[in-house]
Amino acid sequence: MAQVEDKQAQGPQGPYSWPSRKDSKVIGKNHERMDGIEKSTGAAKYTYDVNLKNQLIAKALGSPHAHCRINGIDTTAAEKVPGVVDVHILPHAEAGSEIKWQGELLAIVSAESEGAAAEGVDALKVDYEVLESFTSDSDLKGAEEAGVTARGGGKVETVNEPGDDDDEDEWVDAEIERLFKESKHVVEGYYGIDAITHCCLEPHGSTVAWEGDKLKAYLSTQNVSGTDEGFANDLEISADSVDVECTYIGGGFGSKFAPDYWGIAAARISKRTGRPVKLMLSRDQELKLGGNRPSGYLQVKLGANADGVVQVWDSHHWGTSGVSGSGVSHTVVPYVLVPPNYRRKATAVRTNLVRARAWRAPNHPQACAITQTAIDDLAATMGKDSYDVFMANLVNANNEKADVYAEEMKIGAKLIDWKAKWHPHGKGERNGSIVEGLGMALHTWGGVANTSECTVKIHPDGGVSSFCGTQDIGSGTKTVCAMVLAETLGLSTNQVTVNYGSSTYPFSGASGGSTTVGAVSESHRRAATDALTVLKGKVAEKIGADAGTLVASDGRIHVAGNKDKGLGWKEACGLLGLKPLEITRGHTRGDASPLSNSGVGGVQMAHVCVDLDTGVVKMKEFVAVQDQGLVINPVTCKSQIYGAVIMGIAAALYEQRIADPATGALLNAELADYQLARLGDIGDIKIELYEPESERQRGVIGNGEPPAISPVAAISNAVANAIGARVSTAPYTPQRVLEALKNA
Amino acid sequence: MKAFEYTEPRTESDAVALLSEQPGHTEILAGGTDLVGLMKKMIIKPERVVNIMEIQSLQNIEQLEDGSVVIGAAVTLDEILAFPYMENYPAVTDAILGINSMQLQSQGTIGGEICQRPRCWFFRNGTGLLDDKQVVEGDNRYHAILGNTGAAKYVSGSRIGPALIALGAQVRLVGPNDQEQIIPVAEFFRTPRSEHHRETVLDSNQLLTHLILPAKQSATNATYEVRHGAGPEYPLAAAAAELEMDANGIVRKASVVMGQVAPTPWVSAEAVQVLVGKPVTPEVAEAAGRAAVAPATPLSQNEYKVQMSMVAVKRAILRAAGLETGGF
């Protein structure tokens, strides 16, 4: 039995705080990723690498049609393929079922080998009745004619209010008309951003095995602590009967929160066959089903005063998140810079495409791309420097971060040398067919700490281990946990063992919404602080000192200011006797805490070159200035920003889910055809962590998603600055650039 | 992937003996960069795979006494780049470098490069290569702008093909049995009339064994590709040019071949007509580019490729003449 301390040491917030910048030994210092070697050498075992003894390999058949009815599936030939053990028709593909998007899995073949499973899938004979499909999400008129639109929400806000006798709609029409007449500058524009897919390098999937009535699931997931319940609910067993494990994950980006129906099916097949089953989506299935970000297309008219500050905004946007409609939420339109008067209306377009999944900072990148481009067009209309127009519009910032943005803009401008390089839109120097341009955008995000519990065990031999049901989605969570423990206990990170990635450990929330760094910093700091308090008590007794005067640093617990009066770590731990000290502490999402906070901002600037003859855009330089409260590990924090910016560059210039307008088939659902940014495409990326004392005092805030928000708008604005014309819709491909130039 | 019989012959004749005259029955495996993906997706399902990488005669690259360079079909693309006698064939090395992938360059072979199947996304998604309705009504942004009036509307996959034709290269084919022929690369590519035909004249019981680059006295040839990004994606437009100029820089003879525009590499007599008798200047090169795309018949979504192909021709000519191309 371990010694269990399960009461908070003091009050709800306890004695928890972060050391000052000066006193920090580990926090705020660059620390290399603790699993970097494993990952770079291939020693790290991802879900895809898990192979269990006697396992079956399962492969699935996806619908080739975007919309069809299944009249029946003949499994006879598939069952006869040598090596095939099980053929499973999914419940939604029973005879008579309607399939509403291409790629939807219909049946799963489990076999002794991958080849046999594939041959089994190929031998399935499906009787399809092809139905009409609609996938042209940008085509609002076509969608209306097809009857696939629905109201997607909206809001009107005006400084003046209608009189009691006024018809509200008529009054709003008149008031907005009046505001436009009063405006010194009016801009009308159309902006869009196509849907993209998550493209996780490791596809969705799992290897599952039953041990009696207990299910062990090796699942590629961002939600270790929550997916046991996901399995349990569908399999009608208790969550206690499911152990989910995921130590390494090859990309999630918001798409891997659940076991998914194919994971549940794998568990059913495993139960039926009595053998472990491995089912990972194929590459095309991953791109078709594994996750996509909704599209957004916006028609807007805005009016600004003589200073270029927007006073009135009137927009209608539409887009799709697939079969359920919806699209980009109206609540983030216009984005961050919200004028005092606005009318926004959204229309949802229902398409024969799989439902969207969360993609880094849901809604924000699209909203930024389709609205902050209009701010830049305002600058172009006025013939003013975009930087000055953005700066002027900070009075409209809706998140009380105007001052922070202003500082971040100044830093960004200096890093990219904005004032020296900027030129009026389309009026830059031309070098042969090459022109250059600058653009900027800004963003916001929450980043609240998720709920998280952590057990810290201190062993009598000095060993320290932590247990937390979080996951490291590649962002350096393990390293952060170790750093927090080391800082708190006065040790180095190699003296602590961090255990995570198992649902048998104390609960920790899903890694979504940039909530993990706050979550694990909270739980690890709290548990370690309280464990140290117990240990200090024992040391105090031993050396005859007041426990309140003791500190832990450099591997000793000693009286503050007197290193000699104290004990070495190991000796101190020896005072625990035979039993380890075990303390579990946690934080609940939303509770006020001195350790974490929410609400971040960032400013990004892009410098691009465009070849006017070919329409090819090339990144030259990109600057990201980001605030995120207190930074635990600057190097992995910056890594997050690099990754986000690179994904943003990809979305701006290359990425696009292409659905065939005639058939609804997804045409580029292979990485050979789905273009992403390569190292040679990203230019020089400069990152600045904005962390003055005022930010540091706020505590830890997540930054995983926010830097992925601004790149598309910043790059669009840079392209517009370079060529003097707006390429309306992202990605800004050579084709679209040439078309914009032709129509300019 | 469907189960298949795997064979590993050691001689050309053993390989030919393993090939079937029945289209689709047997596939030749070299680097496998194209074949394996197509087999995994069950787009092609051979009964037998013939690995030619153990055939010694296909591994050689050498310069013959007459100055020509003979390259075995199984020679990898990076071996060609490393071969010391390639300096007069920049059109070939430009195209190989443009592939921008260490993996494809080190694994892919020259034979495989020119025999690769089209990138057409309808074909790659299993809905066939010659169903022109799906191309006309569907998303055809990457499809052909020339030679596209028949059922074939895809673009030829080979990136080196235009250079080989511009240079007057030949290929050696063997089979069936002991038959052997050497034909110009220009005659190697063809537009198929049915799904049973391939995109080259190579019959299913024939083996491409060698490529022969004619002797060249100068390096006045080049390939220029318009690429969207820095990755291994296929270019949006491409052209290869070879020029013969007199002492005054006047073009006496020329060859201009476009890639990514038609179901085969597209030889442009129109561009040559503009060039011959003139010195190469940006204006002349652009006029040649315009002449090259004048016969274009773009589909509903690929009008942009006309401008891009014009630029590719212009820049390939400028590069072949040793002039600045512009662009990135």
Side-chain angles (χ1 to χ4, degrees), chain A residues 20 23 42 612:
Chain A
S20 69
D23 289 340
L612 294 170

Side-chain angles (χ1 to χ4, degrees), chain A residues 203-226:
Chain A
H204 287 60
S206 58
T207 297
V208 295
W210 291 86
E211 289 158 19
D213 290 333
K214 292 200 81 166
L215 179 71
K216 175 85 178 182
Y218 299 90
L219 177 71
S220 184
T221 184
Q222 303 172 242
N223 187 13
V224 165
S225 286

Side-chain angles (χ1 to χ4, degrees), chain A residues 119 611 613 653 660 678 681, chain B residues 3 139 228 230 233 307 315:
Chain A
E119 276 198 59
D611 184 339
D613 284 351
L653 298 180
D660 189 55
R678 314 282 171 159
D681 293 321
Chain B
D139 193 317
H228 185 175
E233 283 82 9
Q307 156 78 10
R315 291 181 180 177

Side-chain angles (χ1 to χ4, degrees), chain A residues 224-235:
Chain A
V224 165
S225 286
T227 34
D228 54 355
E229 211 168 293
F231 276 108
N233 287 346
D234 278 329
L235 296 168

Side-chain angles (χ1 to χ4, degrees), chain B residues 28-241:
Chain B
I28 294 166
L29 171 69
T33 56
D34 191 30
L35 180 72
V36 174
L38 287 165
M39 286 175 66
K40 280 183 83 171
K41 284 197 84 172
M42 302 258 192
I43 305 296
I44 51 178
K45 297 184 268 192
E47 298 293 326
R48 179 188 294 156
V49 169
V50 181
N51 180 4
I52 59 167
M53 295 305 277
E54 298 302 322
I55 302 172
Q56 196 52 49
S57 62
L58 308 187
Q59 309 279 353
N60 296 334
I61 174 167
E62 57 181 327
Q63 188 179 43
L64 304 184
E65 278 181 18
D66 66 358
S68 61
V69 172
V70 177
I71 309 172
V75 170
T76 62
L77 301 176
D78 63 356
E79 285 168 340
I80 294 174
L81 289 180
F83 187 62
Y85 303 104
M86 290 301 291
E87 71 268 25
N88 283 344
Y89 307 101
V92 173
T93 49
D94 287 347
I96 296 175
L97 288 168
I99 291 169
N100 266 341
S101 159
M102 221 183 280
Q103 292 92 336
L104 290 175
Q105 286 159 347
S106 63
Q107 182 71 19
T109 63
I110 185 70
E113 207 288 332
I114 62 176
C115 290
Q116 67 180 300
R117 308 302 305 276
R119 289 303 318 166
C120 168
W121 49 25
F122 299 107
F123 169 67
R124 299 261 164 186
N125 282 307
T127 52
L129 192 58
L130 299 176
D131 174 0
D132 60 341
K133 185 168 174 278
Q134 68 181 351
V135 180
V136 171
E137 293 176 1
D139 193 317
N140 50 39
R141 73 183 73 179
Y142 300 131
H143 280 73
I145 56 167
L146 284 159
N148 59 359
T149 50
K153 291 183 163 48
Y154 62 87
V155 297
S156 169
S158 174
R159 294 171 74 161
I160 305 175
L164 299 177
I165 294 173
L167 291 166
Q170 297 171 301
V171 282
R172 175 177 175 264
L173 314 179
V174 297
N177 305 318
D178 298 329
Q179 292 180 50
E180 180 184 329
Q181 52 180 316
I182 291 176
I183 60 166
V185 176
E187 291 171 18
F188 181 68
F189 292 100
R190 66 138 176 231
T191 302
R193 291 205 182 85
S194 81
E195 297 277 353
H196 290 302
H197 283 160
R198 285 282 165 95
E199 303 78 53
T200 67
V201 298
L202 195 69
D203 278 336
S204 58
N205 54 7
Q206 286 183 309
L207 178 68
L208 165 65
T209 64
H210 293 86
L211 175 72
I212 303 148
L213 300 176
K216 292 286 166 190
Q217 303 310 315
S218 70
T220 49
N221 58 81
T223 294
Y224 188 94
E225 295 182 335
V226 179
R227 290 192 299 267
H228 185 175
E233 283 82 9
Y234 282 65
L236 299 166

Side-chain angles (χ1 to χ4, degrees), chain A residues 176-250:
Chain A
I176 287 187
E177 194 54 41
R178 185 188 69 76
L179 288 161
F180 278 124
K181 273 192 187 140
E182 268 185 15
S183 298
K184 176 83 176 149
H185 306 284
V186 173
V187 171
E188 286 187 73
Y190 168 75
Y191 309 92
I193 179 166
D194 289 332
I196 60 173
T197 56
H198 290 60
C199 296
C200 301
L201 204 53
E202 178 185 44
H204 287 60
S206 58
T207 297
V208 295
W210 291 86
E211 289 158 19
D213 290 333
K214 292 200 81 166
L215 179 71
K216 175 85 178 182
Y218 299 90
L219 177 71
S220 184
T221 184
Q222 303 172 242
N223 187 13
V224 165
S225 286
T227 34
D228 54 355
E229 211 168 293
F231 276 108
N233 287 346
D234 278 329
L235 296 168
E236 293 175 348
I237 53 176
S238 72
D240 288 349
S241 304
V242 184
D243 289 352
V244 173
E245 197 173 309
C246 179
T247 314
Y248 298 97
I249 174 174

Side-chain angles (χ1 to χ4, degrees), chain A residues 1-73:
Chain A
M1 266 295 283
Q3 300 175 37
V4 178
E5 282 276 344
D6 59 2
K7 285 183 292 186
Q8 299 274 97
Q10 294 172 32
Q13 290 183 10
Y16 309 118
S17 64
W18 295 112
S20 69
R21 203 187 295 260
K22 183 170 76 60
D23 289 340
S24 289
K25 296 271 172 55
V26 184
I27 287 173
K29 312 278 190 282
N30 285 329
H31 193 300
E32 67 182 26
R33 203 177 280 264
M34 295 188 76
D35 50 13
I37 296 293
E38 288 88 332
K39 284 182 168 172
S40 52
T41 58
K45 291 288 173 222
Y46 289 76
T47 301
Y48 214 128
D49 298 321
V50 173
N51 288 300
L52 301 179
K53 199 178 166 193
N54 202 30
Q55 76 183 8
L56 294 171
I57 304 282
K59 286 195 167 288
L61 171 72
S63 169
H65 306 296
H67 191 195
C68 62
R69 184 166 283 104
I70 306 293
N71 290 329
I73 302 179

